[in-house]
Amino acid sequence: NAVRTPACDDCIRVMSALPEFLSLKIRCTLATADRLLQFMEEMKSDFDPEDRVGVAIAFRELLVNAIEHGGNLNPEQWVRVSRVRSQRSLVYHMEDPGPGFSRAALEHAAVSHPEASPAAHLPARDKAGLRMGGFGILMAKKLVDEVIYNEQGNEVIMVKHLD
């Protein structure tokens, strides 16, 4: 993958690089998301390894949603990602360039069918011509303590309490 993926010197812009406050702008490509995810995995961490894996999975799901749905995989668009580490919590904030979404109009996502079968949303995805999936928000909500969207639906805050 590294050899086949074109180099991009301007795909990640660092806005703040403090250990307790990291803020970046990243281009809306999956290759850039992969680079950021690798970087986040390698960051020093002092919390439970199981929690760390859960946070990484939730972060990936929300980041890919922002890039794919908010940024339409358009490398000219940017997603802003911030990571704040306090004494008691780890907080991620993401803002994508898209118009947002209505949580009431997510028939194609598993999070809209919490009481039903985990696959209840798949016929809606098939009808809409969407690839298999739709589990990201539901997974994130199960793996971290809070997932909070703004009213417009183009910003999300993810919180993991550490004590």
Side-chain angles (χ1 to χ4, degrees):
N1 278 343
V3 171
R4 284 179 292 198
T5 303
C8 181
D9 294 334
D10 188 36
C11 287
I12 299 175
R13 293 185 182 167
V14 178
M15 312 307 280
S16 174
L18 297 173
E20 65 277 1
F21 193 104
L22 176 66
S23 184
L24 309 165
K25 283 175 57 175
I26 70 164
R27 291 199 183 269
C28 290
T29 69
L30 294 178
T32 305
D34 289 340
R35 287 183 176 113
L36 178 58
L37 292 165
Q38 182 64 39
F39 171 76
M40 293 299 205
E41 281 184 24
E42 293 178 11
M43 284 185 71
K44 181 181 175 191
S45 176
D46 60 351
F47 60 98
D48 181 71
E50 187 174 316
D51 286 342
R52 184 176 168 96
V53 169
V55 167
I57 292 169
F59 175 73
R60 181 194 182 287
E61 292 299 326
L62 297 177
L63 178 64
V64 169
N65 280 351
I67 288 171
E68 183 176 8
H69 302 295
N72 295 311
L73 297 171
N74 177 350
E76 298 301 314
Q77 296 289 332
W78 296 86
V79 169
R80 185 161 182 149
V81 178
S82 297
R83 176 189 187 272
V84 177
R85 173 65 160 90
S86 73
Q87 288 182 338
R88 296 190 179 118
S89 63
L90 179 62
V91 178
Y92 285 94
H93 173 260
M94 292 176 226
E95 179 180 7
D96 69 55
F101 68 94
S102 166
R103 283 171 294 294
L106 288 179
E107 193 63 25
H108 63 282
V111 72
S112 293
H113 309 276
E115 69 288 335
S117 156
H121 68 290
L122 294 178
R125 291 185 75 80
D126 190 45
K127 184 178 178 184
L130 298 171
R131 63 173 169 70
M132 287 293 264
F135 298 98
I137 296 172
L138 182 64
M139 282 179 27
K141 286 185 170 207
K142 298 282 185 191
L143 292 168
V144 297
D145 297 303
E146 299 177 67
V147 175
I148 305 164
Y149 282 90
N150 70 339
E151 186 174 9
Q152 186 176 334
N154 69 335
E155 290 183 61
V156 63
I157 295 174
M158 181 181 92
V159 180
K160 179 64 180 174
H161 301 291
L162 302 175
D163 54 358

